[in-house]
Amino acid sequence: RQYNYYNLSDRSQVATEVSFGTLAKLAESCVFIYLGAVAALSVGRLHWHFGLVCYTCILIVIARAAHIFPLTAMLNVWRDKKIGQNLSITMWISGLRGAI
């Protein structure tokens, strides 16, 4: 957005945003469909250890909280516009979705 967006006409800016937004959603959907298909097709062939999956999910939640809350508190020391607790919680939960 920062390089060429402001050189475009108003109609082209809207078209660009809509086009790239659609491409991003399509790419994200393809990734999740692929991951779902791989997980579904591997159920009979691979051994899934349910305890390990739960343990890993719990560790991820704890690790995200251990990073998000102290870092936002440190950033708030130097920021004029502080990051609120609600936004910190939103960043913590939304990050659990993955890197997509």
Side-chain angles (χ1 to χ4, degrees), residues 1 6 17-18 28 42 45 54 62-63 74 100:
R1 172 177 261 211
Y6 299 105
E17 278 194 34
V18 170
E28 184 179 28
S42 68
R45 292 185 292 168
C54 291
I62 292 169
M74 284 181 6
I100 302 296

Side-chain angles (χ1 to χ4, degrees), residues 23-76:
L23 285 173
K25 295 282 186 193
L26 182 64
E28 184 179 28
S29 296
C30 288
V31 168
F32 281 117
I33 288 170
Y34 177 72
L35 288 175
V38 168
L41 294 175
S42 68
V43 168
R45 292 185 292 168
L46 299 176
H47 176 68
W48 288 74
H49 194 275
F50 186 70
L52 179 62
V53 173
C54 291
Y55 180 71
T56 305
C57 288
I58 291 169
L59 281 180
I60 289 170
V61 169
I62 292 169
R64 290 273 313 162
H67 285 86
I68 292 293
F69 296 116
L71 288 175
T72 54
M74 284 181 6
L75 284 172
N76 280 339

